[in-house]
Amino acid sequence: MAKALSADFWASVKKDYEKGLSQAELRKKYNLSPSSLANKIKRSGWEITQSQKEAISAFSEASGKISAEFGKANETQKAEIINRINTIIDDCEIMASNRHLAKRFQARILDGFNDGMFESSKDIKAGTSALKDLEYIANPKPSVEVNQSQNQSNALIKIEFVE
């Protein structure tokens, strides 16, 4: 009888599965039989949605193009490409961290409601205001400006997206 594989082992396999490695690639990397891997995926309900598959595919295509262009670039251009990639990575880490903080803060607010921690509406407003700030940082979107002007008897509203 084969020895059962550890939870840590399967966690590594799942992580690579979620990265988009094919079952063939996973079997080769982890020395797994086709039935062992397929059964684990099915039993554990591992799933990659179509949008995730498309995102992985788009990223693979884009990174291939970047790699090709990187090979053609001079040293100054290569340094700029690396700088831009590092900035994107940093931004993604900040957004992920802020989302984590926002979730924890949401839980604290909920606990505060349940435990009677909030003494006044001012306390609640301060908490929700901080949460909105975190959400804005975690999910930056273009801000919207609304300008109103009076054109004879008709009000004209102009909405502009500002980045």
Side-chain angles (χ1 to χ4, degrees):
M1 182 172 182
K3 181 181 170 187
L5 299 171
S6 72
D8 288 341
F9 173 83
W10 285 115
S12 295
V13 175
K14 181 179 182 186
K15 187 175 183 181
D16 282 344
Y17 177 78
E18 290 174 340
K19 286 180 185 176
L21 269 65
S22 70
Q23 287 190 35
E25 292 168 319
L26 292 170
R27 288 192 305 269
K28 183 176 180 181
K29 181 176 180 177
Y30 292 100
N31 194 27
L32 293 165
S33 71
S35 61
S36 172
L37 180 59
N39 289 338
K40 182 64 175 181
I41 290 170
K42 186 175 181 177
R43 271 193 325 270
S44 299
W46 295 356
E47 187 178 338
I48 297 180
T49 65
Q50 185 61 35
S51 64
Q52 290 169 322
K53 288 177 187 176
E54 289 169 2
I56 291 168
S57 176
F59 180 79
S60 294
E61 185 179 325
S63 60
K65 288 178 183 177
I66 290 170
S67 180
E69 293 304 317
F70 189 80
K72 298 175 193 174
N74 64 36
E75 293 306 312
T76 303
Q77 293 165 332
K78 287 179 180 180
E80 181 59 25
I81 291 169
I82 291 168
N83 184 44
R84 288 181 186 186
I85 290 170
N86 287 333
T87 299
I88 291 167
I89 291 168
D90 289 346
D91 289 349
C92 289
E93 288 174 355
I94 289 169
M95 287 188 295
S97 176
N98 286 337
R99 285 189 183 104
H100 178 71
L101 286 171
K103 285 182 182 180
R104 290 183 64 191
F105 193 64
Q106 283 176 323
R108 296 279 304 192
I109 289 174
L110 237 120
D111 290 344
F113 280 124
N114 295 334
D115 299 343
M117 184 171 72
F118 297 114
E119 295 179 11
S120 70
S121 60
K122 188 176 182 182
D123 294 336
I124 296 169
K125 184 173 178 154
T128 55
S129 177
L131 186 58
K132 285 179 186 175
D133 291 344
L134 280 173
E135 180 61 24
Y136 177 76
I137 293 168
N139 296 303
K141 297 176 183 78
S143 54
V144 178
E145 287 184 4
V146 177
N147 299 317
Q148 290 185 323
S149 62
Q150 202 67 21
N151 183 2
Q152 294 183 347
S153 63
N154 298 332
L156 176 65
I157 299 175
K158 181 179 179 186
I159 300 175
E160 296 176 355
F161 290 94
V162 181
E163 296 199 35

mmCIF file of all heavy atoms in Angstrom, residues 15 37 59 71 90 111 140 152:
data_model
loop_
_atom_site.group_PDB
_atom_site.id
_atom_site.type_symbol
_atom_site.label_atom_id
_atom_site.label_comp_id
_atom_site.label_asym_id
_atom_site.label_seq_id
_atom_site.Cartn_x
_atom_site.Cartn_y
_atom_site.Cartn_z
ATOM 1 N N LYS A 15 -1.386 24.808 -4.772
ATOM 2 C CA LYS A 15 -0.878 26.151 -5.087
ATOM 3 C C LYS A 15 -0.438 26.229 -6.552
ATOM 4 O O LYS A 15 -0.772 27.174 -7.263
ATOM 5 C CB LYS A 15 0.275 26.500 -4.145
ATOM 6 C CG LYS A 15 0.760 27.906 -4.255
ATOM 7 C CD LYS A 15 1.817 28.190 -3.198
ATOM 8 C CE LYS A 15 2.267 29.626 -3.253
ATOM 9 N NZ LYS A 15 3.300 29.914 -2.256
ATOM 10 N N LEU A 37 -3.839 12.233 -8.852
ATOM 11 C CA LEU A 37 -4.061 13.674 -8.968
ATOM 12 C C LEU A 37 -5.518 13.979 -9.299
ATOM 13 O O LEU A 37 -6.134 14.848 -8.661
ATOM 14 C CB LEU A 37 -3.139 14.280 -10.031
ATOM 15 C CG LEU A 37 -3.285 15.788 -10.233
ATOM 16 C CD1 LEU A 37 -3.003 16.559 -8.954
ATOM 17 C CD2 LEU A 37 -2.375 16.252 -11.357
ATOM 18 N N PHE A 59 -2.094 36.523 -19.073
ATOM 19 C CA PHE A 59 -0.829 36.862 -18.434
ATOM 20 C C PHE A 59 0.330 36.128 -19.101
ATOM 21 O O PHE A 59 1.383 36.708 -19.349
ATOM 22 C CB PHE A 59 -0.863 36.547 -16.936
ATOM 23 C CG PHE A 59 0.428 36.884 -16.252
ATOM 24 C CD1 PHE A 59 0.723 38.191 -15.920
ATOM 25 C CD2 PHE A 59 1.355 35.898 -15.977
ATOM 26 C CE1 PHE A 59 1.928 38.516 -15.322
ATOM 27 C CE2 PHE A 59 2.562 36.207 -15.372
ATOM 28 C CZ PHE A 59 2.852 37.521 -15.035
ATOM 29 N N GLY A 71 14.513 40.957 -24.357
ATOM 30 C CA GLY A 71 15.711 40.462 -25.036
ATOM 31 C C GLY A 71 16.255 41.433 -26.066
ATOM 32 O O GLY A 71 17.453 41.451 -26.340
ATOM 33 N N ASP A 90 4.930 45.701 -6.235
ATOM 34 C CA ASP A 90 4.743 46.443 -4.973
ATOM 35 C C ASP A 90 3.297 46.900 -4.821
ATOM 36 O O ASP A 90 2.708 46.775 -3.746
ATOM 37 C CB ASP A 90 5.678 47.649 -4.908
ATOM 38 C CG ASP A 90 7.136 47.269 -4.714
ATOM 39 O OD1 ASP A 90 7.412 46.097 -4.364
ATOM 40 O OD2 ASP A 90 8.006 48.149 -4.929
ATOM 41 N N ASP A 111 -18.040 43.081 15.345
ATOM 42 C CA ASP A 111 -17.929 42.726 16.763
ATOM 43 C C ASP A 111 -18.359 43.896 17.641
ATOM 44 O O ASP A 111 -19.015 43.712 18.664
ATOM 45 C CB ASP A 111 -16.483 42.323 17.111
ATOM 46 C CG ASP A 111 -16.070 41.008 16.502
ATOM 47 O OD1 ASP A 111 -16.963 40.238 16.064
ATOM 48 O OD2 ASP A 111 -14.850 40.746 16.444
ATOM 49 N N PRO A 140 -8.308 50.986 -5.927
ATOM 50 C CA PRO A 140 -8.322 52.321 -6.519
ATOM 51 C C PRO A 140 -9.123 52.350 -7.811
ATOM 52 O O PRO A 140 -8.996 51.460 -8.638
ATOM 53 C CB PRO A 140 -6.846 52.630 -6.771
ATOM 54 C CG PRO A 140 -6.153 51.325 -6.714
ATOM 55 C CD PRO A 140 -6.994 50.392 -5.913
ATOM 56 N N GLN A 152 -29.989 78.123 -18.885
ATOM 57 C CA GLN A 152 -31.338 78.670 -18.886
ATOM 58 C C GLN A 152 -32.160 77.922 -17.835
ATOM 59 O O GLN A 152 -31.836 77.972 -16.673
ATOM 60 C CB GLN A 152 -31.953 78.622 -20.276
ATOM 61 C CG GLN A 152 -31.234 79.543 -21.238
ATOM 62 C CD GLN A 152 -31.863 79.570 -22.604
ATOM 63 O OE1 GLN A 152 -32.703 78.747 -22.956
ATOM 64 N NE2 GLN A 152 -31.472 80.544 -23.381
#
